[in-house]
Amino acid sequence: MPALLGLEIPEIEQLLGPGQPRFRARQIYSALYRERHSDLLRLSNLPLPLRRELAATHAVGLPVVQRRFDSADGTRRYLLELADGRTVEAVFMPEEQRQTICISTQVGCAVNCKFCLTALLGLERNLTAGEIVGQVLLLAAGNQLAAEGQRLNVVMMGQGEPLLNLPNVLKATRILLDPAGCGLSPRRITLSTAGIIPGIEELGREPVRPKLAISLNASTDEARRELMPIARKYPLRELLEVCRAYPLRPWERLTFEYVLLQGVNDSDADAHRVVKLLARLKCKVNLIALNPGPEIPFRTPEPDRVLAFQRILKRAVPCFIRKPRGLDIFAACGQLRKISSPA
Ligand code: SAH
């Protein structure tokens, strides 16, 4: 059965046909994304025959929780089953001041970064807009978040490269940010990319878009090409040029992520080069000490090294260390590979 999740109002109008009053589409849209109904028969402001017909011909299309892994730190990793039986992961991270949901944009990933476990899955397929939104709805409902989602952050940093599935990512973003839809704040949704230049340019032209984070991960082209084969296609000079031309909103700045790998890209000289690369950019840096995994041929630097690297960057640019979440259940950055045993 076709899914309703992922549809925007004009598409719902079209599906209902001319026999229904126009406000019906808005009612259904609101029931799906704002009220987060998962049972079509319960949409009590619709006439019963319409409810029955909808339920007989369409699914809501929420993913189904196949397994949930709970970390000692409160993080929850979900293995979600999609309509075609494929599975994908999403992560819920509670904090005192806010809650963050990390969602996937593809099943697996094609980008093949050498430090990332998801790369070992390869790419199975793109997620639809409904499957992307569905992860947020499901995890929000499962963790009793306020209906308005005011303190809810969404990061597109799970499986997949969002800019290689841009049309679906943009559609999902419009629904997530629409006050009549999920109603998230535009400051609270972020997309992370390995640095797909044409995708960044395209994103910048969109009126409704997430904030942008870029995985830098190295201070020279040579090192970056080794770690991220995609960098052969998109060299640093061009990448940073596109970043400087990126049309930031007045309140916005770019985020650069930098995975620290012991003895590979974590020297003082690397830090000084990063400072140079990021000159003249309105940005901040998130450092991520490697989250290890089976078959990942790198080591996590000592905490002192991470702090020393941060100190150098901090003189030039706001720089934070991303605290790993859910390391014990393979839920942290770069660990999403559908692993079912504890670490
Ligand atoms: N494909 C996107 C989003 C997914 S990765 C991207 O590349 O940005 C999200 C972040 O996790 C990226 O910054 C990536 O560099 C980082 N990451 C990947 N593997 C990691 C690992 N093993 N340890 C720490 N961070 C990792």
Side-chain angles (χ1 to χ4, degrees):
M1 278 200 288
L4 293 178
L5 280 186
L7 299 183
E8 294 181 278
I9 288 171
E11 292 162 310
I12 304 179
E13 280 172 355
Q14 202 174 6
L15 169 158
L16 292 173
Q20 292 289 339
R22 288 199 63 151
F23 60 83
R24 286 279 177 253
R26 286 195 173 275
Q27 284 178 322
I28 295 171
Y29 182 86
S30 170
L32 291 172
Y33 303 120
R34 202 181 156 90
E35 293 138 45
R36 302 178 188 163
H37 277 281
S38 55
D39 181 353
L40 295 173
L41 292 173
R42 290 201 180 181
L43 307 189
S44 50
N45 50 4
L46 301 189
L48 192 57
L50 176 60
R51 278 186 248 167
R52 290 205 171 119
E53 192 193 324
L54 269 181
T57 53
H58 289 80
V60 170
L62 279 172
V64 174
V65 180
Q66 201 179 72
R67 286 194 70 180
R68 195 185 87 196
F69 304 90
D70 292 359
S71 164
D73 70 14
T75 300
R76 293 173 160 180
R77 176 166 64 96
Y78 290 78
L79 185 63
L80 302 174
E81 187 173 333
L82 307 169
D84 65 352
R86 290 182 196 268
T87 54
V88 80
E89 290 163 296
V91 180
F92 174 77
M93 292 166 275
E95 278 171 88
E96 251 162 51
Q97 298 301 321
R98 58 173 192 189
Q99 332 229 358
T100 302
I101 293 177
C102 174
I103 58 175
S104 295
T105 54
Q106 299 181 307
V107 185
C109 188
V111 175
N112 204 16
C113 301
K114 299 303 174 199
F115 43 80
C116 180
L117 279 175
T118 306
L120 301 170
L121 296 171
L123 177 67
E124 292 184 34
R125 69 166 169 85
N126 281 336
L127 292 180
T128 65
E131 289 166 337
I132 296 170
V133 174
Q135 295 171 66
V136 177
L137 293 174
L138 190 76
L139 269 62
N143 293 286
Q144 280 115 38
L145 300 189
E148 301 76 35
Q150 281 315 316
R151 281 164 56 244
L152 177 62
N153 280 292
V154 170
V155 296
M156 296 176 172
M157 300 188 184
Q159 288 182 16
E161 167 48 53
L163 295 186
L164 294 179
N165 183 18
L166 194 52
N168 291 329
V169 162
L170 288 174
K171 192 177 189 199
T173 302
R174 286 196 298 271
I175 295 170
L176 289 169
L177 293 182
D178 184 357
C182 297
L184 291 182
S185 150
R187 296 165 191 245
R188 292 191 174 277
I189 170 163
T190 303
L191 166 164
S192 176
T193 177
I196 312 292
I197 290 179
I200 296 174
E201 291 174 315
E202 219 179 311
L203 190 68
R205 289 193 285 269
E206 284 296 320
V208 179
R209 55 179 149 97
K211 294 193 292 180
L212 178 59
I214 294 148
S215 300
L216 185 63
N217 294 346
S219 68
T220 65
D221 267 317
E222 199 188 359
R224 199 159 185 271
R225 280 193 296 260
E226 289 282 313
L227 298 172
M228 307 172 73
I230 191 89
R232 288 178 207 150
K233 214 163 157 186
Y234 304 118
L236 279 174
R237 199 180 49 79
E238 285 168 40
L239 177 61
L240 294 165
E241 219 164 85
V242 168
C243 289
R244 276 188 282 272
Y246 192 76
L248 290 169
R249 291 158 284 192
W251 46 267
E252 188 178 15
R253 59 174 129 180
L254 294 170
T255 299
F256 287 91
E257 295 147 295
Y258 195 100
V259 184
L260 288 162
L261 311 170
Q262 186 177 69
V264 174
N265 65 357
D266 66 344
S267 69
D268 286 356
D270 282 300
H272 288 296
R273 279 192 294 265
V274 169
V275 167
K276 284 212 181 107
L277 287 173
L278 301 185
R280 292 185 292 119
L281 274 160
K282 190 180 169 199
C283 69
K284 67 167 174 169
V285 177
N286 282 342
L287 299 176
I288 320 174
L290 175 78
N291 299 312
E295 296 175 59
I296 297 299
F298 299 104
R299 278 200 301 232
T300 311
E302 298 298 332
D304 278 355
R305 180 83 304 263
V306 178
L307 287 171
F309 199 93
Q310 181 193 31
R311 263 197 301 278
I312 295 172
L313 260 74
K314 256 188 158 170
R315 285 187 227 134
V317 57
C319 176
F320 307 91
I321 298 170
R322 188 180 289 172
K323 193 171 72 181
R325 301 291 309 260
L327 265 176
D328 53 342
I329 54 161
F330 286 100
C333 300
Q335 292 192 310
L336 298 183
R337 191 201 172 183
K338 308 181 190 178
I339 291 179
S340 48
S341 60

